[in-house]
Amino acid sequence: MAVRVQVADFDAGAEIARLRAGDRGVGAVASFVGTVRADNDASQVDAMVLEHYAGMTEAVLSELETAARARFDVRDVLVVHRIGVLVPGDQIVLVVVTSAHRDAAFDACRYLMDFLKTEAPFWKKERTPAGERWVEARASDEAAAGRW
Amino acid sequence: MKDSDGSALATTPRITTVRIVYLARLREALGSSSEALAVVSEAAPAVSDVVATLRGRGGAWARELGAGRAVRFAVNQRLARNDTPVGEGDEVAVFPPVTGG
């Protein structure tokens, strides 16, 4: 079990291998990787600056993990989120869930991402050819979390 | 309210000093990352009293924290609502809706 906020990139394969190492009860692994797109809202994106509210971020992610464990029959959970300056193609976030059977892994992975998007205190600022702009929250993200 | 000899008790406003933290777009719009704020209230103070105090400054404060603006709060690093109590020395964070992931 772990949540991490870091500047450094991550290796999803290595993280998955580490998470399921030694647990012979794992029969399913679901993972999600979010990456930086080169365009957003009809504008080119040259870079993205990710900031967070240190302390609260880790607390919120840990609470989400606890909630996911209570709700789904999972064996282990990992959430890694990057901060700092990222460019198109860079990885932003990794969620990995291990479980005995696939439904719990798929569901918990999606649950964690849906609530990470609406509750974890991260903010994105885009650097575009026209200058910097803060990314606005999307109603569709609230709707996604609302389905749970 | 009256005391034992029947005279009216003056309401004594209370002063609660909190630490405000501004994050992301609101930090830039308000030109501040943190400050100590004395909140004057009649009853036990809540987030709404903090917001009223800040709005009372007018200008960007009234505009950015005005009714209808999407502003979120945390008290001591836990998501809070308008009626969440605040106490002496609490950390009250003011920020826009989150956009991580």
Side-chain angles (χ1 to χ4, degrees), chain A residues 8-126:
Chain A
D9 197 9
F10 52 79
D11 178 339
E15 298 289 356
I16 289 170
R18 195 173 306 134
L19 197 68
R20 67 190 193 88
D23 185 352
R24 303 288 290 270
V26 171
V29 181
S31 65
F32 174 86
V33 176
T35 62
V36 181
R37 273 177 292 123
D39 63 280
N40 189 31
D41 292 337
S43 175
Q44 175 185 324
V45 174
D46 298 322
M48 178 175 275
V49 185
L50 261 150
E51 74 166 70
H52 77 131
Y53 182 16
M56 180 171 167
T57 313
E58 293 82 353
V60 169
L61 293 178
S62 293
E63 283 176 17
L64 289 181
E65 178 185 345
T66 301
R69 284 173 175 277
R71 182 162 179 152
F72 308 101
D73 190 12
V74 305
R75 298 190 68 88
D76 212 345
V77 170
L78 172 69
V79 179
V80 181
H81 202 298
R82 296 180 68 193
I83 53 171
V85 180
L86 304 176
V87 298
D90 278 356
Q91 302 186 112
I92 305 171
V93 59
L94 169 69
V95 174
V96 183
V97 179
T98 61
S99 61
H101 303 286
R102 70 184 182 285
D103 278 354
F106 275 131
D107 290 350
C109 190
R110 185 157 205 161
Y111 174 94
L112 285 162
M113 269 311 300
D114 284 349
F115 283 99
L116 183 153
K117 296 281 287 187
T118 55
E119 295 190 4
F122 291 100
W123 298 273
K124 291 173 181 153
K125 183 200 260 182
E126 294 171 342

Side-chain angles (χ1 to χ4, degrees), chain B residues 36-57:
Chain B
L37 183 75
V39 178
V40 180
S41 60
E42 299 288 331
V47 167
S48 56
D49 295 297
V50 173
V51 176
T53 304
L54 294 173
R55 277 183 190 162
R57 293 171 170 175

Side-chain angles (χ1 to χ4, degrees), chain A residues 51 53-56 63 81 116-118 120 122-125 134-135 137, chain B residues 23-25 27-28 74 77-79 91 93 95-101:
Chain A
E51 74 166 70
Y53 182 16
M56 180 171 167
E63 283 176 17
H81 202 298
L116 183 153
K117 296 281 287 187
T118 55
F122 291 100
W123 298 273
K124 291 173 181 153
K125 183 200 260 182
W134 288 96
V135 174
Chain B
L23 295 157
R25 193 188 64 75
R27 178 188 63 245
E28 292 188 348
Q77 306 200 334
R78 296 189 68 90
L79 277 177
E91 179 171 293
F95 49 85
V98 303
T99 56

